């Protein structure tokens, strides 16, 4: 195996791979030698599969909605039947139904949760079944990589995206559960919070500045480079992590910390004691100082973030 083909002989499934970030991720994996099952809801999946075959690796398109639970089994089956196995899952597919909470409809909520969170869960479950069985058959850990797509929206609680923020928070928790539950079988699971200029995000970014080498500072290929690394053998020691990635940087997030612990003097809080301890602690507190991790936004040096 050549140094540049670190995924030669591996098979990947990428959802939402017909355009944008998913397409860039599928091509990045193929460039490292992986065969790819390309999933999307329309004919663009076939077009990307053709692009991948032109690179010299195998590709098949599986058209369908990842929000259908059975699609996970279909995608794993396509990988096994077409290429003999499954090594990498990149959960990327998603939709937007941006609304303020008071304007949110049931379908706005259901569509986003179904495609993002249920879509991630359905394919992850099917892959987990495959890897667990393969590991038990082999009597040893197997090669498995899961890269899930979260978002900084789960860190901020985007006010116009209560559905999307909730879905991405769920995906982050799903990633941690996947990492812990499947590690014994050889699987590594991590989440990325990407920013990339795609059709879905075209309204979010301005022109930007500073694109070394002529590559757009918000190009999806920048994100795909990290995804390809997390899918590689070199990432065997990376598990249960969350990364913010865009522009010229990759930022590893630390887990939440405890700011302050309140303890009941008598072993159980009374309303009066809660009042005495909590009320003065929060008196005069900056309203922006909440669980929302807005400090992460200060990482942005791309010059592309539009402000209201």
């Amino acid at each position: 195996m050549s140094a540049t083909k670190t995924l030669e002989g591996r098979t990947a499934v990428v959802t939402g791979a017909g355009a944008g970030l998913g397409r860039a991720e599928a091509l990045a994996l193929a460039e490292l030698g992986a065969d790819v099952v390309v999933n999307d809801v329309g004919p663009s999946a076939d077009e990307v599969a053709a692009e991948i075959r032109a690179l010299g690796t195998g590709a098949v398109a599986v058209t369908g909605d990842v929000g259908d639970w059975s699609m996970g089994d279909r995608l794993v089956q396509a990988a096994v039947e077409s290429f003999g196995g499954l090594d990498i899952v990149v959960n990327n597919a998603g939709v937007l139904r941006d609304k303020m909470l008071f304007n949110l409809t049931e379908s706005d909520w259901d569509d986003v949760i179904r495609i993002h969170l249920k879509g991630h869960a359905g394919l992850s479950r099917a892959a987990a079944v495959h890897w667990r069985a393969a590991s038990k058959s082999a009597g040893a850990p197997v090669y498995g990589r899961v890269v899930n797509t979260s978002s900084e929206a789960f860190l901020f609680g985007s006010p116009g995206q209560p559905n999307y923020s909730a879905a991405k928070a769920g995906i982050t928790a799903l990633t941690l559960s996947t990492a812990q539950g499947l590690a014994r079988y050889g699987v590594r699971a991590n989440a990325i919070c990407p920013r990339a200029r795609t059709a879905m995000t075209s309204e979010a970014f301005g022109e930007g500045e500073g694109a070394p080498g002529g590559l757009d500072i918000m190009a999806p290929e920048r994100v795909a480079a990290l995804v390809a690394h997390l899918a590689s053998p070199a990432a065997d020691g990376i598990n249960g992590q969350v990364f913010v990635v865009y522009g010229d940087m990759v930022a590893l997030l630390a887990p939440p910390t405890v700011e302050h612990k309140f303890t009941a003097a008598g072993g159980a809080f009374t309303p009066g004691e809660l009042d005495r301890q909590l009320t003065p602690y929060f008196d005069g507190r900056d309203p922006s100082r909440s669980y929302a991790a807005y400090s992460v936004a200060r990482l942005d040096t791309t010059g592309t973030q539009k402000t209201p």
Side-chain angles (χ1 to χ4, degrees):
M1 183 185 300
S2 69
T4 58
K5 296 291 183 180
T6 55
L7 295 179
E8 192 170 1
R10 304 294 183 188
T11 299
V13 172
V14 184
T15 68
L21 184 54
R23 173 182 171 274
E25 292 166 337
L27 290 171
L29 296 172
E31 287 168 357
L32 293 180
D35 299 317
V36 185
V37 176
V38 179
N39 164 255
D40 216 309
V41 292
S44 58
D46 292 289
E47 296 167 7
V48 174
E51 285 187 78
I52 290 172
R53 288 191 291 269
L55 295 174
T57 62
V60 295
V62 177
T63 303
D65 183 351
V66 295
D68 294 333
W69 193 253
S70 62
M71 180 54 65
D73 290 317
R74 282 186 58 196
L75 291 170
V76 172
Q77 182 179 6
V80 172
E81 291 182 352
S82 300
F83 306 114
L86 173 66
D87 305 287
I88 301 156
V89 165
V90 179
N91 281 304
N92 168 75
V95 296
L96 292 177
R97 301 287 187 271
D98 291 355
K99 297 281 183 64
M100 296 295 288
L101 185 58
F102 41 76
N103 289 326
L104 192 70
T105 67
E106 184 176 7
S107 64
D108 293 331
W109 175 266
D110 287 347
D111 288 349
V112 170
I113 298 297
R114 186 178 66 85
I115 301 300
H116 285 275
L117 183 54
K118 185 180 178 182
H120 273 62
L123 177 53
S124 295
R125 181 211 63 87
V129 170
H130 170 81
W131 284 322
R132 179 172 179 265
S135 177
K136 288 193 169 187
S137 177
V142 296
Y143 188 101
R145 299 286 188 269
V146 178
V147 182
N148 288 335
T149 307
S150 185
S151 168
E152 290 168 276
F154 102 88
L155 297 168
F156 305 154
S158 300
Q161 298 180 306
N163 44 4
Y164 183 78
S165 299
K168 293 307 188 180
I171 286 168
T172 304
L174 172 66
T175 304
L176 299 180
S177 182
T178 303
Q180 295 184 62
L182 301 185
R184 73 186 72 177
Y185 305 116
V187 179
R188 307 290 179 259
N190 297 284
I192 61 169
C193 300
R195 294 190 196 184
R197 197 189 311 278
T198 67
M200 195 169 82
T201 64
S202 60
E203 298 300 316
F205 305 116
E207 290 302 313
E209 302 173 356
L215 186 64
D216 181 357
I217 195 67
M218 299 302 288
E221 288 80 6
R222 294 175 180 270
V223 175
L226 174 62
V227 171
H229 178 75
L230 293 174
S232 75
D236 191 58
I238 306 175
N239 195 36
Q241 306 297 333
V242 180
F243 298 90
V244 175
V245 52
Y246 60 91
D248 63 352
M249 65 98 194
V250 172
L252 173 63
L253 296 184
T257 59
V258 175
E259 177 184 327
H260 187 82
K261 180 181 178 181
F262 302 91
T263 304
F269 274 111
T270 63
E273 189 177 4
L274 284 169
D275 188 9
R276 288 191 297 274
Q277 288 203 44
L278 270 68
T279 301
Y281 185 85
F282 289 96
D283 186 37
R285 189 181 181 95
D286 183 342
S288 68
R289 188 181 169 195
S290 69
Y291 194 76
Y294 285 111
S295 61
V296 175
R298 291 198 288 270
L299 293 168
D300 185 15
T301 60
T302 64
T304 62
Q305 192 63 46
K306 290 184 178 179
T307 55

